[in-house]
Amino acid sequence: QVQLVESGGRLVQAGGSLRLSCAASGRTFGAFAMGWFRQATGKERELVASIGPGDTRTYYADSVKGRFTISRDDIENTVALQMNSLKPEDTAVYYCAARQSYYTINYRSWDYWGQGTQVTVSS
């Protein structure tokens, strides 16, 4: 079992930056791919970025490439999402997720989820 707790979501102005953090506890953190998903009102949950297992393989959605950076610390069991140049369309609930394999964009195939943190970008 893996428990995930996100933090860092808040209201920010367009063009600003925000850093989301996810703390994991439970089983071997390093063996999991970690991902950040988001879900805007009325839309399906989408994979924003993923990393690992380890820190060698990353994925970014086209909409966030060059603006968002995912990183992980397998000693502290944390994963972070640095979000720069935020846009109103980035507004969503952001979820941390873990998968005991490599990433997939299919959210139904991820094994563990956090409770989500709200990010609101004002124009």
Side-chain angles (χ1 to χ4, degrees), residues 54-92:
D55 61 359
T56 58
R57 185 176 300 195
T58 58
Y59 164 87
Y60 294 95
D62 287 343
S63 58
V64 306
K65 281 181 181 177
R67 300 189 298 123
F68 291 10
T69 303
I70 190 170
S71 60
R72 65 188 293 163
D73 184 331
D74 287 353
I75 302 299
E76 296 294 328
N77 287 3
T78 59
V79 61
L81 184 68
Q82 178 66 40
M83 305 186 294
N84 299 327
S85 302
L86 283 162
K87 304 175 181 180
E89 50 263 44
D90 294 319
T91 295

Side-chain angles (χ1 to χ4, degrees), residues 1 12 44 81 120:
Q1 190 74 11
V12 63
E44 192 164 89
L81 184 68
T120 303

Side-chain angles (χ1 to χ4, degrees), residues 23-45:
S25 60
R27 298 176 62 187
T28 307
F29 179 75
F32 287 79
M34 300 300 298
W36 285 97
F37 286 76
R38 67 186 180 187
Q39 187 165 18
T41 303
K43 295 189 176 181
E44 192 164 89
R45 193 169 297 192

